[in-house]
Amino acid sequence: MDKQRLIPLIVATALFMENMDSTVIATSLPAIAADIGTSPLTLKLAITSYLLSLAVFIPASGWTADRFGARMVFAGAVGVFMLGSIGCALSSSVTDFVFARILQGLGGAMMTPVGRLVLLRSVDKSALVNAMAWVTVPALIGPVIGPPLGGFITTYFSWHWIFLINIPIGFLGIFMALKYIDPIKSENPEPFDLYGLVLAGIGLAGIAFGLSVAGLNLLPWTVVASLIAVGSISMTLYVIHARRTGSPVLDFSLLNLSTLRASIIGGFMFRLGVGALPFLLPLLMQVGFGLSPFQSGLVTFASAVGAMGMKTLAARIIRSFGFRNLMTVNAVISSLFLAACALFTAATPLLLIMIILVVGGFFRSLQFTAINTVAYAEVEPAQMSRATTLVSVNQQLAISAGVAVGAFSVETTMWLDGASDLNATMFAPAFLVVAVISAASAWFFWQMPDDAGHEISGRKAVEIASRKGAATAAVKAATEGTQDARDQRLG
């Protein structure tokens, strides 16, 4: 297989393993809690500890890849994730399980940004859209395939296999990475910003953890507000520090690049809206419509089908319309399909729901591919590791914020209605809120230059060919006009 296709598949395999694992556990929490002798609420620490680990270690991923080589760090990250998976399967107490999830988080924090860095350094820019389309798919499939798979494995086998299925996938990923990825590393790695890492780690952990538990009634609101406040203060101190150092772990000066700025800010808003979907939709299906976790998972899996259908068309669509035009319009279209979920009722045919999710999944996947690709259009090779770190942190915060906004919207609706029990009518306002936020991202994409990302989309070649065609036609028309005038004179 061509390396331009093989390397994206290697990276996609690791990202699929991480994305699926982070959602599959939610379905199986009751069974795991009963087996190790604790409550499902207590075991929520396993999810939040994983998010904390991601937030703390992602900022160090760029420097680590430059220092030790992206290939070696990527393969090592997959290995650490596998060790954490084995630890989860062997856990016999809450403490064991939490520590194993922290280890998984360390592996995941390196896998995602370093995997993307491997891709950017191994694939030619002209083939980047197709490569990103392949890598984007697991990020969309993981959250929707996780719940039904988790329910199936837990019901018919044992929850331990949820984590053990990562082992053969991980071994295959390590083998393929070491065999086919070139050993590229920075010749002059920058000094490590330990003080910046501590500030950024505390800041991101406080914000991500606070947003993740907000609205879930796991902690008192005072504690949640304190976590977010401490995180915000720490991040403010980090921003001040970053301006004074030449090698910050999170380089916000990259936001001066218009395409990266649009991908970060607009992408955050779009992901915030769409990130709430895997949280809200299963709840609506199970609590509102009375479907089982397995049935609910099968319905929501429809959006993954749309995502798969996109990958073969993404490059062609982006080349035809250009990044700016496509991302602006598609943000609104994707948001309309997100808002359509507010119309679902128990009487809505499941086939109609699945059709809406399939088509919506196509447009969302197309938008993710465009956002993930255009981010690196103006980034120089020496800045690539910093850019991937910044993008990964942004994605993690957006997902946490999406769940928080979705949960807060549902809680607010219940409070306004004076309801004590959750029912299907409580979800419509939440879908509308996140859809509006997602649609607002279109404004930031429209701010990009008209020729944004033409080099990687192939749009410039299309325009040049079009201009040449127009020029040829004009010359031909002028020649024919001259010939006609000559014929008339001779007549």
Side-chain angles (χ1 to χ4, degrees):
M1 186 183 292
D2 185 84
K3 185 174 282 191
Q4 304 280 357
R5 177 69 55 82
L6 186 60
I7 289 178
L9 286 177
I10 296 171
V11 175
T13 301
L15 299 188
F16 173 76
M17 181 171 66
E18 181 193 356
N19 277 282
M20 187 181 68
D21 187 271
S22 62
T23 53
V24 77
I25 187 177
T27 308
S28 308
L29 274 182
I32 299 172
D35 197 41
I36 64 177
T38 187
S39 70
L41 194 61
T42 304
L43 208 57
K44 286 280 187 181
L45 285 171
I47 296 177
T48 51
S49 61
Y50 179 82
L51 292 172
L52 276 172
S53 186
L54 279 178
V56 170
F57 293 112
I58 281 179
S61 60
W63 180 87
T64 307
D66 283 345
R67 177 66 179 81
F68 300 104
R71 180 182 73 168
M72 192 58 64
V73 173
F74 179 72
V78 175
V80 170
F81 192 86
M82 289 167 57
L83 288 175
S85 299
I86 295 172
C88 288
L90 298 178
S91 297
S92 58
S93 69
V94 175
T95 304
D96 295 342
F97 201 74
V98 168
F99 274 115
R101 290 291 287 172
I102 290 174
L103 189 61
Q104 271 193 315
L106 171 59
M110 296 291 166
M111 265 200 309
T112 302
V114 176
R116 195 171 283 118
L117 182 61
V118 165
L119 187 69
L120 292 166
R121 288 181 173 174
S122 304
V123 175
D124 188 76
K125 273 196 171 186
S126 61
L128 195 56
V129 175
N130 269 326
M132 280 296 183
W134 283 92
V135 172
T136 300
V137 169
L140 291 163
I141 292 180
V144 290
I145 200 177
L149 183 62
F152 179 79
I153 291 175
T154 304
T155 303
Y156 298 105
F157 296 95
S158 167
W159 65 265
H160 303 83
W161 288 101
I162 288 173
F163 302 102
L164 294 177
I165 58 174
N166 289 333
I167 308 309
I169 299 174
F171 274 126
L172 177 64
I174 291 173
F175 170 76
M176 299 289 281
L178 295 178
K179 183 174 178 64
Y180 294 106
I181 296 176
D182 296 328
I184 305 170
K185 64 178 180 179
S186 176
E187 296 180 0
N188 299 303
E190 297 173 335
F192 187 53
D193 181 20
L194 179 60
Y195 179 60
L197 178 65
V198 171
L199 287 176
I202 294 173
L204 292 172
I207 295 172
F209 183 42
L211 291 174
S212 299
V213 298
L216 300 181
N217 294 324
L218 292 180
L219 295 172
W221 271 105
T222 51
V223 176
V224 174
S226 298
L227 285 168
I228 296 175
V230 170
S232 301
I233 292 170
S234 185
M235 280 305 297
T236 303
L237 293 174
Y238 171 76
V239 171
I240 296 172
H241 162 77
R243 291 175 177 173
R244 300 172 180 172
T245 181
S247 54
V249 290
L250 293 176
D251 189 359
F252 293 115
S253 68
L254 290 173
L255 294 178
N256 291 325
L257 302 175
S258 61
T259 49
L260 183 60
R261 182 172 62 251
S263 179
I264 291 288
I265 302 175
F268 180 90
M269 296 182 69
F270 185 79
R271 281 192 180 89
L272 187 150
V274 176
L277 188 63
F279 168 75
L280 292 173
L281 202 55
L283 275 179
L284 175 63
M285 295 293 164
Q286 294 175 42
V287 179
F289 300 164
L291 300 181
S292 70
F294 187 49
Q295 291 171 322
S296 166
L298 290 177
V299 173
T300 56
F301 180 70
S303 60
V305 176
M308 289 294 290
M310 176 281 311
K311 73 178 187 297
T312 57
L313 301 173
R316 199 176 310 165
I317 294 172
I318 293 173
R319 184 168 57 250
S320 298
F321 297 100
F323 277 106
R324 188 182 77 157
N325 296 334
L326 173 74
M327 293 169 72
T328 302
V329 175
N330 195 50
V332 177
I333 295 174
S334 301
S335 301
L336 288 175
F337 279 96
L338 184 59
C341 296
L343 302 176
F344 294 163
T345 66
T348 307
L350 287 180
L351 179 60
L352 178 59
I353 292 176
M354 293 178 74
I355 290 173
I356 291 174
L357 293 177
V358 167
V359 180
F362 175 90
F363 287 108
R364 286 191 294 273
S365 183
L366 177 61
Q367 190 75 357
F368 280 135
T369 299
I371 290 171
N372 291 337
T373 308
V374 79
Y376 307 103
E378 299 175 272
V379 179
E380 298 296 330
Q383 302 172 310
M384 208 62 86
S385 60
R386 292 186 184 182
T388 55
T389 301
L390 196 62
V391 169
S392 296
V393 166
N394 181 67
Q395 290 178 359
Q396 188 58 44
L397 287 177
I399 293 170
S400 299
V403 174
V405 171
F408 180 75
S409 299
V410 173
E411 290 266 333
T412 303
T413 304
M414 289 181 67
W415 176 72
L416 291 174
D417 289 353
S420 56
D421 295 324
L422 194 60
N423 60 62
T425 61
M426 305 298 171
F427 290 91
F431 281 117
L432 293 177
V433 167
V434 296
V436 168
I437 294 174
S438 186
S441 65
W443 189 84
F444 294 96
F445 300 134
W446 182 250
Q447 299 306 306
M448 292 190 297
D450 186 47
D451 61 349
H454 276 16
E455 180 184 351
I456 54 179
S457 68
R459 175 74 175 167
K460 183 179 289 185
V462 172
E463 289 187 349
I464 290 173
S466 177
R467 285 197 295 268
K468 284 183 177 178
T472 302
V475 171
K476 184 178 179 181
T479 303
E480 290 175 350
T482 302
Q483 186 65 45
D484 288 344
R486 187 183 299 118
D487 291 343
Q488 289 174 8
R489 286 197 303 272
L490 290 174

PDB file of all heavy atoms in Angstrom, residues 438-467:
ATOM      1  N   SER A 438     -22.561  25.989  17.609  1.00  0.00           N
ATOM      2  CA  SER A 438     -21.830  25.369  16.509  1.00  0.00           C
ATOM      3  C   SER A 438     -21.944  26.197  15.231  1.00  0.00           C
ATOM      4  O   SER A 438     -20.964  26.397  14.506  1.00  0.00           O
ATOM      5  CB  SER A 438     -22.369  23.952  16.280  1.00  0.00           C
ATOM      6  OG  SER A 438     -21.614  23.272  15.319  1.00  0.00           O
ATOM      7  N   ALA A 439     -23.142  26.715  14.949  1.00  0.00           N
ATOM      8  CA  ALA A 439     -23.348  27.525  13.738  1.00  0.00           C
ATOM      9  C   ALA A 439     -22.573  28.835  13.795  1.00  0.00           C
ATOM     10  O   ALA A 439     -22.119  29.349  12.766  1.00  0.00           O
ATOM     11  CB  ALA A 439     -24.841  27.809  13.552  1.00  0.00           C
ATOM     12  N   ALA A 440     -22.384  29.379  15.008  1.00  0.00           N
ATOM     13  CA  ALA A 440     -21.661  30.647  15.163  1.00  0.00           C
ATOM     14  C   ALA A 440     -20.206  30.536  14.720  1.00  0.00           C
ATOM     15  O   ALA A 440     -19.553  31.547  14.432  1.00  0.00           O
ATOM     16  CB  ALA A 440     -21.728  31.111  16.615  1.00  0.00           C
ATOM     17  N   SER A 441     -19.687  29.311  14.641  1.00  0.00           N
ATOM     18  CA  SER A 441     -18.300  29.121  14.203  1.00  0.00           C
ATOM     19  C   SER A 441     -18.110  29.565  12.753  1.00  0.00           C
ATOM     20  O   SER A 441     -16.984  29.870  12.334  1.00  0.00           O
ATOM     21  CB  SER A 441     -17.897  27.649  14.343  1.00  0.00           C
ATOM     22  OG  SER A 441     -18.656  26.829  13.456  1.00  0.00           O
ATOM     23  N   ALA A 442     -19.199  29.624  11.982  1.00  0.00           N
ATOM     24  CA  ALA A 442     -19.094  30.001  10.564  1.00  0.00           C
ATOM     25  C   ALA A 442     -18.462  31.383  10.398  1.00  0.00           C
ATOM     26  O   ALA A 442     -17.738  31.634   9.421  1.00  0.00           O
ATOM     27  CB  ALA A 442     -20.487  29.972   9.913  1.00  0.00           C
ATOM     28  N   TRP A 443     -18.749  32.281  11.342  1.00  0.00           N
ATOM     29  CA  TRP A 443     -18.200  33.640  11.235  1.00  0.00           C
ATOM     30  C   TRP A 443     -16.675  33.619  11.253  1.00  0.00           C
ATOM     31  O   TRP A 443     -16.025  34.352  10.509  1.00  0.00           O
ATOM     32  CB  TRP A 443     -18.730  34.498  12.376  1.00  0.00           C
ATOM     33  CG  TRP A 443     -18.385  35.957  12.228  1.00  0.00           C
ATOM     34  CD1 TRP A 443     -19.057  36.894  11.509  1.00  0.00           C
ATOM     35  CD2 TRP A 443     -17.243  36.631  12.777  1.00  0.00           C
ATOM     36  NE1 TRP A 443     -18.427  38.116  11.583  1.00  0.00           N
ATOM     37  CE2 TRP A 443     -17.312  37.996  12.356  1.00  0.00           C
ATOM     38  CE3 TRP A 443     -16.177  36.230  13.583  1.00  0.00           C
ATOM     39  CZ2 TRP A 443     -16.352  38.922  12.722  1.00  0.00           C
ATOM     40  CZ3 TRP A 443     -15.214  37.164  13.948  1.00  0.00           C
ATOM     41  CH2 TRP A 443     -15.312  38.488  13.520  1.00  0.00           C
ATOM     42  N   PHE A 444     -16.074  32.773  12.095  1.00  0.00           N
ATOM     43  CA  PHE A 444     -14.610  32.711  12.207  1.00  0.00           C
ATOM     44  C   PHE A 444     -13.998  32.072  10.962  1.00  0.00           C
ATOM     45  O   PHE A 444     -12.902  32.450  10.539  1.00  0.00           O
ATOM     46  CB  PHE A 444     -14.215  31.923  13.459  1.00  0.00           C
ATOM     47  CG  PHE A 444     -14.606  32.611  14.731  1.00  0.00           C
ATOM     48  CD1 PHE A 444     -15.791  32.283  15.376  1.00  0.00           C
ATOM     49  CD2 PHE A 444     -13.800  33.594  15.283  1.00  0.00           C
ATOM     50  CE1 PHE A 444     -16.163  32.925  16.543  1.00  0.00           C
ATOM     51  CE2 PHE A 444     -14.167  34.246  16.456  1.00  0.00           C
ATOM     52  CZ  PHE A 444     -15.350  33.911  17.079  1.00  0.00           C
ATOM     53  N   PHE A 445     -14.697  31.103  10.360  1.00  0.00           N
ATOM     54  CA  PHE A 445     -14.177  30.504   9.137  1.00  0.00           C
ATOM     55  C   PHE A 445     -14.240  31.488   7.970  1.00  0.00           C
ATOM     56  O   PHE A 445     -13.373  31.487   7.103  1.00  0.00           O
ATOM     57  CB  PHE A 445     -14.975  29.233   8.799  1.00  0.00           C
ATOM     58  CG  PHE A 445     -14.907  28.174   9.866  1.00  0.00           C
ATOM     59  CD1 PHE A 445     -16.052  27.513  10.298  1.00  0.00           C
ATOM     60  CD2 PHE A 445     -13.696  27.846  10.454  1.00  0.00           C
ATOM     61  CE1 PHE A 445     -15.987  26.540  11.277  1.00  0.00           C
ATOM     62  CE2 PHE A 445     -13.625  26.875  11.441  1.00  0.00           C
ATOM     63  CZ  PHE A 445     -14.772  26.227  11.853  1.00  0.00           C
ATOM     64  N   TRP A 446     -15.264  32.355   7.970  1.00  0.00           N
ATOM     65  CA  TRP A 446     -15.400  33.353   6.902  1.00  0.00           C
ATOM     66  C   TRP A 446     -14.297  34.399   6.980  1.00  0.00           C
ATOM     67  O   TRP A 446     -13.994  35.052   5.971  1.00  0.00           O
ATOM     68  CB  TRP A 446     -16.773  34.005   6.982  1.00  0.00           C
ATOM     69  CG  TRP A 446     -17.034  35.009   5.899  1.00  0.00           C
ATOM     70  CD1 TRP A 446     -17.138  36.359   6.024  1.00  0.00           C
ATOM     71  CD2 TRP A 446     -17.207  34.724   4.513  1.00  0.00           C
ATOM     72  NE1 TRP A 446     -17.371  36.935   4.807  1.00  0.00           N
ATOM     73  CE2 TRP A 446     -17.418  35.963   3.849  1.00  0.00           C
ATOM     74  CE3 TRP A 446     -17.201  33.539   3.754  1.00  0.00           C
ATOM     75  CZ2 TRP A 446     -17.616  36.028   2.469  1.00  0.00           C
ATOM     76  CZ3 TRP A 446     -17.401  33.623   2.382  1.00  0.00           C
ATOM     77  CH2 TRP A 446     -17.604  34.863   1.763  1.00  0.00           C
ATOM     78  N   GLN A 447     -13.681  34.566   8.150  1.00  0.00           N
ATOM     79  CA  GLN A 447     -12.619  35.561   8.306  1.00  0.00           C
ATOM     80  C   GLN A 447     -11.305  35.129   7.675  1.00  0.00           C
ATOM     81  O   GLN A 447     -10.372  35.929   7.554  1.00  0.00           O
ATOM     82  CB  GLN A 447     -12.388  35.846   9.806  1.00  0.00           C
ATOM     83  CG  GLN A 447     -13.599  36.411  10.541  1.00  0.00           C
ATOM     84  CD  GLN A 447     -14.146  37.652   9.875  1.00  0.00           C
ATOM     85  OE1 GLN A 447     -13.423  38.610   9.636  1.00  0.00           O
ATOM     86  NE2 GLN A 447     -15.445  37.627   9.558  1.00  0.00           N
ATOM     87  N   MET A 448     -11.200  33.878   7.264  1.00  0.00           N
ATOM     88  CA  MET A 448      -9.974  33.422   6.612  1.00  0.00           C
ATOM     89  C   MET A 448      -9.825  34.073   5.238  1.00  0.00           C
ATOM     90  O   MET A 448     -10.834  34.474   4.627  1.00  0.00           O
ATOM     91  CB  MET A 448      -9.986  31.889   6.443  1.00  0.00           C
ATOM     92  CG  MET A 448      -9.889  31.105   7.728  1.00  0.00           C
ATOM     93  SD  MET A 448      -9.605  29.328   7.449  1.00  0.00           S
ATOM     94  CE  MET A 448     -11.098  28.859   6.579  1.00  0.00           C
ATOM     95  N   PRO A 449      -8.602  34.189   4.726  1.00  0.00           N
ATOM     96  CA  PRO A 449      -8.413  34.718   3.368  1.00  0.00           C
ATOM     97  C   PRO A 449      -9.130  33.834   2.344  1.00  0.00           C
ATOM     98  O   PRO A 449      -9.346  32.639   2.584  1.00  0.00           O
ATOM     99  CB  PRO A 449      -6.887  34.650   3.177  1.00  0.00           C
ATOM    100  CG  PRO A 449      -6.321  34.582   4.547  1.00  0.00           C
ATOM    101  CD  PRO A 449      -7.322  33.882   5.387  1.00  0.00           C
ATOM    102  N   ASP A 450      -9.488  34.414   1.228  1.00  0.00           N
ATOM    103  CA  ASP A 450     -10.219  33.673   0.194  1.00  0.00           C
ATOM    104  C   ASP A 450      -9.410  32.489  -0.333  1.00  0.00           C
ATOM    105  O   ASP A 450      -9.970  31.472  -0.735  1.00  0.00           O
ATOM    106  CB  ASP A 450     -10.580  34.614  -0.951  1.00  0.00           C
ATOM    107  CG  ASP A 450     -11.475  33.934  -1.976  1.00  0.00           C
ATOM    108  OD1 ASP A 450     -12.450  33.288  -1.561  1.00  0.00           O
ATOM    109  OD2 ASP A 450     -11.193  34.049  -3.186  1.00  0.00           O
ATOM    110  N   ASP A 451      -8.074  32.630  -0.336  1.00  0.00           N
ATOM    111  CA  ASP A 451      -7.224  31.547  -0.859  1.00  0.00           C
ATOM    112  C   ASP A 451      -6.645  30.685   0.255  1.00  0.00           C
ATOM    113  O   ASP A 451      -5.634  30.002   0.063  1.00  0.00           O
ATOM    114  CB  ASP A 451      -6.097  32.132  -1.707  1.00  0.00           C
ATOM    115  CG  ASP A 451      -5.186  33.064  -0.885  1.00  0.00           C
ATOM    116  OD1 ASP A 451      -5.561  33.416   0.267  1.00  0.00           O
ATOM    117  OD2 ASP A 451      -4.119  33.442  -1.389  1.00  0.00           O
ATOM    118  N   ALA A 452      -7.263  30.681   1.425  1.00  0.00           N
ATOM    119  CA  ALA A 452      -6.755  29.912   2.566  1.00  0.00           C
ATOM    120  C   ALA A 452      -6.642  28.432   2.212  1.00  0.00           C
ATOM    121  O   ALA A 452      -7.593  27.815   1.748  1.00  0.00           O
ATOM    122  CB  ALA A 452      -7.690  30.081   3.765  1.00  0.00           C
ATOM    123  N   GLY A 453      -5.453  27.886   2.429  1.00  0.00           N
ATOM    124  CA  GLY A 453      -5.241  26.457   2.236  1.00  0.00           C
ATOM    125  C   GLY A 453      -5.251  25.973   0.811  1.00  0.00           C
ATOM    126  O   GLY A 453      -5.333  24.762   0.560  1.00  0.00           O
ATOM    127  N   HIS A 454      -5.152  26.881  -0.167  1.00  0.00           N
ATOM    128  CA  HIS A 454      -5.192  26.458  -1.577  1.00  0.00           C
ATOM    129  C   HIS A 454      -4.058  25.483  -1.910  1.00  0.00           C
ATOM    130  O   HIS A 454      -4.223  24.601  -2.755  1.00  0.00           O
ATOM    131  CB  HIS A 454      -5.109  27.685  -2.492  1.00  0.00           C
ATOM    132  CG  HIS A 454      -6.434  28.339  -2.715  1.00  0.00           C
ATOM    133  ND1 HIS A 454      -7.523  28.089  -1.916  1.00  0.00           N
ATOM    134  CD2 HIS A 454      -6.860  29.221  -3.677  1.00  0.00           C
ATOM    135  CE1 HIS A 454      -8.563  28.791  -2.362  1.00  0.00           C
ATOM    136  NE2 HIS A 454      -8.187  29.489  -3.416  1.00  0.00           N
ATOM    137  N   GLU A 455      -2.920  25.665  -1.249  1.00  0.00           N
ATOM    138  CA  GLU A 455      -1.766  24.821  -1.544  1.00  0.00           C
ATOM    139  C   GLU A 455      -2.040  23.356  -1.196  1.00  0.00           C
ATOM    140  O   GLU A 455      -1.609  22.441  -1.906  1.00  0.00           O
ATOM    141  CB  GLU A 455      -0.543  25.310  -0.759  1.00  0.00           C
ATOM    142  CG  GLU A 455       0.714  24.482  -1.020  1.00  0.00           C
ATOM    143  CD  GLU A 455       1.882  24.926  -0.157  1.00  0.00           C
ATOM    144  OE1 GLU A 455       1.770  25.977   0.504  1.00  0.00           O
ATOM    145  OE2 GLU A 455       2.900  24.210  -0.145  1.00  0.00           O
ATOM    146  N   ILE A 456      -2.763  23.138  -0.115  1.00  0.00           N
ATOM    147  CA  ILE A 456      -3.001  21.752   0.302  1.00  0.00           C
ATOM    148  C   ILE A 456      -4.317  21.191  -0.237  1.00  0.00           C
ATOM    149  O   ILE A 456      -4.497  19.975  -0.282  1.00  0.00           O
ATOM    150  CB  ILE A 456      -2.985  21.617   1.842  1.00  0.00           C
ATOM    151  CG1 ILE A 456      -3.976  22.591   2.490  1.00  0.00           C
ATOM    152  CG2 ILE A 456      -1.606  21.822   2.396  1.00  0.00           C
ATOM    153  CD1 ILE A 456      -4.014  22.486   4.004  1.00  0.00           C
ATOM    154  N   SER A 457      -5.220  22.053  -0.657  1.00  0.00           N
ATOM    155  CA  SER A 457      -6.499  21.565  -1.174  1.00  0.00           C
ATOM    156  C   SER A 457      -6.461  21.302  -2.680  1.00  0.00           C
ATOM    157  O   SER A 457      -7.285  20.562  -3.202  1.00  0.00           O
ATOM    158  CB  SER A 457      -7.619  22.577  -0.885  1.00  0.00           C
ATOM    159  OG  SER A 457      -7.440  23.758  -1.652  1.00  0.00           O
ATOM    160  N   GLY A 458      -5.481  21.908  -3.380  1.00  0.00           N
ATOM    161  CA  GLY A 458      -5.431  21.794  -4.830  1.00  0.00           C
ATOM    162  C   GLY A 458      -6.329  22.806  -5.525  1.00  0.00           C
ATOM    163  O   GLY A 458      -6.465  22.799  -6.744  1.00  0.00           O
ATOM    164  N   ARG A 459      -6.936  23.688  -4.739  1.00  0.00           N
ATOM    165  CA  ARG A 459      -7.852  24.685  -5.285  1.00  0.00           C
ATOM    166  C   ARG A 459      -7.129  25.656  -6.220  1.00  0.00           C
ATOM    167  O   ARG A 459      -7.679  26.087  -7.236  1.00  0.00           O
ATOM    168  CB  ARG A 459      -8.507  25.461  -4.139  1.00  0.00           C
ATOM    169  CG  ARG A 459      -9.400  26.613  -4.555  1.00  0.00           C
ATOM    170  CD  ARG A 459     -10.712  26.141  -5.125  1.00  0.00           C
ATOM    171  NE  ARG A 459     -11.597  27.257  -5.405  1.00  0.00           N
ATOM    172  CZ  ARG A 459     -12.698  27.163  -6.118  1.00  0.00           C
ATOM    173  NH1 ARG A 459     -13.056  25.993  -6.605  1.00  0.00           N
ATOM    174  NH2 ARG A 459     -13.456  28.223  -6.333  1.00  0.00           N
ATOM    175  N   LYS A 460      -5.878  25.960  -5.899  1.00  0.00           N
ATOM    176  CA  LYS A 460      -5.109  26.898  -6.720  1.00  0.00           C
ATOM    177  C   LYS A 460      -4.935  26.340  -8.136  1.00  0.00           C
ATOM    178  O   LYS A 460      -5.086  27.065  -9.120  1.00  0.00           O
ATOM    179  CB  LYS A 460      -3.740  27.152  -6.094  1.00  0.00           C
ATOM    180  CG  LYS A 460      -2.911  28.178  -6.854  1.00  0.00           C
ATOM    181  CD  LYS A 460      -1.566  28.394  -6.172  1.00  0.00           C
ATOM    182  CE  LYS A 460      -1.738  29.144  -4.861  1.00  0.00           C
ATOM    183  NZ  LYS A 460      -0.436  29.482  -4.239  1.00  0.00           N
ATOM    184  N   ALA A 461      -4.664  25.039  -8.221  1.00  0.00           N
ATOM    185  CA  ALA A 461      -4.500  24.422  -9.543  1.00  0.00           C
ATOM    186  C   ALA A 461      -5.802  24.497 -10.335  1.00  0.00           C
ATOM    187  O   ALA A 461      -5.797  24.720 -11.552  1.00  0.00           O
ATOM    188  CB  ALA A 461      -4.062  22.965  -9.384  1.00  0.00           C
ATOM    189  N   VAL A 462      -6.929  24.318  -9.643  1.00  0.00           N
ATOM    190  CA  VAL A 462      -8.226  24.405 -10.312  1.00  0.00           C
ATOM    191  C   VAL A 462      -8.445  25.808 -10.852  1.00  0.00           C
ATOM    192  O   VAL A 462      -8.888  25.995 -11.985  1.00  0.00           O
ATOM    193  CB  VAL A 462      -9.365  24.029  -9.334  1.00  0.00           C
ATOM    194  CG1 VAL A 462     -10.724  24.307  -9.972  1.00  0.00           C
ATOM    195  CG2 VAL A 462      -9.262  22.572  -8.936  1.00  0.00           C
ATOM    196  N   GLU A 463      -8.122  26.837 -10.027  1.00  0.00           N
ATOM    197  CA  GLU A 463      -8.325  28.218 -10.446  1.00  0.00           C
ATOM    198  C   GLU A 463      -7.408  28.583 -11.607  1.00  0.00           C
ATOM    199  O   GLU A 463      -7.813  29.280 -12.539  1.00  0.00           O
ATOM    200  CB  GLU A 463      -8.091  29.158  -9.262  1.00  0.00           C
ATOM    201  CG  GLU A 463      -9.188  29.083  -8.203  1.00  0.00           C
ATOM    202  CD  GLU A 463      -9.015  30.137  -7.128  1.00  0.00           C
ATOM    203  OE1 GLU A 463      -7.945  30.776  -7.102  1.00  0.00           O
ATOM    204  OE2 GLU A 463      -9.939  30.321  -6.325  1.00  0.00           O
ATOM    205  N   ILE A 464      -6.132  28.111 -11.545  1.00  0.00           N
ATOM    206  CA  ILE A 464      -5.191  28.401 -12.626  1.00  0.00           C
ATOM    207  C   ILE A 464      -5.683  27.775 -13.926  1.00  0.00           C
ATOM    208  O   ILE A 464      -5.678  28.393 -14.988  1.00  0.00           O
ATOM    209  CB  ILE A 464      -3.782  27.872 -12.265  1.00  0.00           C
ATOM    210  CG1 ILE A 464      -3.190  28.718 -11.123  1.00  0.00           C
ATOM    211  CG2 ILE A 464      -2.869  27.900 -13.476  1.00  0.00           C
ATOM    212  CD1 ILE A 464      -1.884  28.179 -10.596  1.00  0.00           C
ATOM    213  N   ALA A 465      -6.151  26.516 -13.824  1.00  0.00           N
ATOM    214  CA  ALA A 465      -6.673  25.834 -15.018  1.00  0.00           C
ATOM    215  C   ALA A 465      -7.895  26.565 -15.559  1.00  0.00           C
ATOM    216  O   ALA A 465      -8.073  26.706 -16.764  1.00  0.00           O
ATOM    217  CB  ALA A 465      -7.027  24.381 -14.674  1.00  0.00           C
ATOM    218  N   SER A 466      -8.714  27.068 -14.636  1.00  0.00           N
ATOM    219  CA  SER A 466      -9.916  27.799 -15.045  1.00  0.00           C
ATOM    220  C   SER A 466      -9.544  29.091 -15.763  1.00  0.00           C
ATOM    221  O   SER A 466     -10.127  29.444 -16.781  1.00  0.00           O
ATOM    222  CB  SER A 466     -10.781  28.091 -13.815  1.00  0.00           C
ATOM    223  OG  SER A 466     -11.907  28.851 -14.181  1.00  0.00           O
ATOM    224  N   ARG A 467      -8.538  29.799 -15.192  1.00  0.00           N
ATOM    225  CA  ARG A 467      -8.109  31.054 -15.821  1.00  0.00           C
ATOM    226  C   ARG A 467      -7.484  30.800 -17.197  1.00  0.00           C
ATOM    227  O   ARG A 467      -7.702  31.552 -18.145  1.00  0.00           O
ATOM    228  CB  ARG A 467      -7.115  31.775 -14.909  1.00  0.00           C
ATOM    229  CG  ARG A 467      -7.759  32.453 -13.708  1.00  0.00           C
ATOM    230  CD  ARG A 467      -6.837  33.476 -13.091  1.00  0.00           C
ATOM    231  NE  ARG A 467      -5.651  32.860 -12.529  1.00  0.00           N
ATOM    232  CZ  ARG A 467      -5.557  32.467 -11.262  1.00  0.00           C
ATOM    233  NH1 ARG A 467      -6.580  32.620 -10.445  1.00  0.00           N
ATOM    234  NH2 ARG A 467      -4.451  31.919 -10.819  1.00  0.00           N
TER     235      ARG A 467
END
